């Protein structure tokens, strides 16, 4: 088992090095470090605290709490207009296309109880975890993504609509970064949302 694990770690490192070579002409050494960090770890966790902070910074939110358990993200928020919002999200699918859409979708319950601003802010948090170079490390609010209804009980978000992603998209390295760091799946764990990244192909 140890030998197989070492081989896997070596393969991951080679994939990361190949990816870095493709953006080595850019000026950001810190970007390279972040890229290597994401590719070698491959898996990232967004804690309840991180998700709560993102939701609390959504437009129109006075206070919020997000808790991950039982396969869902449970959101409880007080709005500045005095309303209370309670809903849950279950990751449904991830669709990343080369030079194309970077979409995630959630099943929402109850279907009409969600708040688009909060869902968009959570998507922004996911975008920053996937592409940490889109904003400073201490940035909590990267903007809210555009949320669309796929069907009565499902919401779809294109991470490219997150304001920080749109700004980063104008940089030299953006297209390469977005194609190298691809989200493979989202999964609810007790106390966190787990992100799994797809390794880049080992091409000459």
């Amino acid at each position: 088992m140890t030998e197989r694990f070492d081989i896997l770690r070596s393969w991951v490192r080679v994939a990361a090095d190949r990816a870095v070579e493709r953006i080595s002409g850019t000026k950001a050494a810190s970007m390279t470090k972040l890229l290597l960090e994401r590719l070698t770890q491959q898996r990232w966790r967004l804690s309840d605290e991180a998700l709560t902070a993102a939701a609390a910074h959504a437009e129109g939110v006075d206070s919020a709490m997000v808790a991950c358990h039982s396969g869902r993200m449970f959101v409880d928020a007080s709005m500045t207009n005095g309303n209370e919002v309670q809903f849950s999200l279950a990751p449904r699918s991830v669709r990343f296309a080369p030079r194309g859409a970077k979409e995630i979708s959630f099943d929402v319950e109850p279907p009409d109880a969600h708040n688009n601003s909060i869902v968009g802010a959570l998507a922004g948090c996911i975008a920053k975890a996937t592409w940490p170079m889109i904003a400073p490390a201490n940035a909590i609010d990267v903007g809210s993504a555009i949320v669309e209804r796929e069907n009565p009980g499902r919401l779809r978000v294109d991470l490219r609509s997150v304001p920080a992603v749109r700004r980063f998209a104008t940089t030299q390295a953006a297209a390469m970064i977005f194609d190298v760091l691809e989200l493979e799946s989202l999964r609810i764990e007790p106390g966190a949302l787990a992100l799994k990244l797809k390794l880049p192909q080992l091409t000459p």
Side-chain angles (χ1 to χ4, degrees), residues 1 3 11 14 20 26 34 39-40 47 65 70 74 76 88 91-92 103 122-123 128 149-150 160 175 189 194 199-200:
M1 178 65 74
E3 182 179 356
W11 189 85
V14 169
V20 169
T26 68
L34 288 170
L39 288 174
T40 52
S47 67
M65 182 178 71
S70 308
F74 292 86
D76 189 343
S88 67
R92 177 69 181 185
E103 294 180 349
L122 293 173
K128 185 173 183 291
R149 191 181 289 275
E150 196 167 285
R160 295 177 305 171
E189 296 181 349
L199 285 173

Side-chain angles (χ1 to χ4, degrees), residues 96-115:
F96 271 47
R99 306 299 170 101
K102 316 294 183 188
E103 294 180 349
I104 57 177
S105 65
F106 300 97
D107 288 336
V108 59
E109 186 67 35
D112 295 316
H114 73 283
N115 175 275

Side-chain angles (χ1 to χ4, degrees), residues 23 26-28 31 168-179:
I23 64 165
T26 68
K27 61 183 179 180
M31 189 182 301
F168 182 76
T170 63
T171 66
Q172 180 184 356
M176 195 67 69
I177 291 290
F178 291 151
D179 283 344

Side-chain angles (χ1 to χ4, degrees), residues 79-107:
M79 311 302 291
T80 54
N81 61 8
N83 291 339
E84 298 291 324
V85 175
Q86 294 180 327
F87 63 94
S88 67
L89 301 169
R92 177 69 181 185
S93 66
V94 175
R95 295 186 289 267
F96 271 47
R99 306 299 170 101
K102 316 294 183 188
E103 294 180 349
I104 57 177
S105 65
F106 300 97
D107 288 336

Side-chain angles (χ1 to χ4, degrees), residues 1-179:
M1 178 65 74
T2 301
E3 182 179 356
R4 290 178 62 188
F5 182 71
D6 288 342
I7 291 173
L8 178 60
R9 282 177 59 88
S10 175
W11 189 85
V12 169
R13 182 69 191 194
V14 169
D17 288 344
R18 292 279 182 87
V20 169
E21 286 174 6
R22 295 169 66 191
I23 64 165
S24 59
T26 68
K27 61 183 179 180
S30 59
M31 189 182 301
T32 300
K33 181 180 178 182
L34 288 170
L35 176 60
L36 278 170
E37 180 183 76
R38 281 299 184 270
L39 288 174
T40 52
Q41 292 196 18
Q42 198 183 356
R43 194 170 175 275
W44 207 256
R45 296 175 85 249
L46 284 171
S47 67
D48 286 351
E49 291 76 14
L51 295 167
T52 292
H57 281 80
E59 184 178 356
V61 173
D62 183 46
S63 63
M65 182 178 71
V66 180
C68 294
H69 60 86
S70 308
R72 307 185 77 88
M73 287 189 288
F74 292 86
V75 180
D76 189 343
S78 297
M79 311 302 291
T80 54
N81 61 8
N83 291 339
E84 298 291 324
V85 175
Q86 294 180 327
F87 63 94
S88 67
L89 301 169
R92 177 69 181 185
S93 66
V94 175
R95 295 186 289 267
F96 271 47
R99 306 299 170 101
K102 316 294 183 188
E103 294 180 349
I104 57 177
S105 65
F106 300 97
D107 288 336
V108 59
E109 186 67 35
D112 295 316
H114 73 283
N115 175 275
N116 277 352
S117 179
I118 295 175
V119 176
L122 293 173
C125 189
I126 292 168
K128 185 173 183 291
T130 305
W131 306 303
M133 55 286 296
I134 66 172
N138 60 352
I140 297 175
D141 182 9
V142 295
S144 183
I146 297 171
V147 179
E148 298 179 322
R149 191 181 289 275
E150 196 167 285
N151 63 46
R154 188 168 302 156
L155 305 174
R156 182 178 67 247
V157 182
D158 191 332
L159 298 182
R160 295 177 305 171
S161 68
V162 174
V165 173
R166 292 204 305 267
R167 289 192 293 271
F168 182 76
T170 63
T171 66
Q172 180 184 356
M176 195 67 69
I177 291 290
F178 291 151
D179 283 344

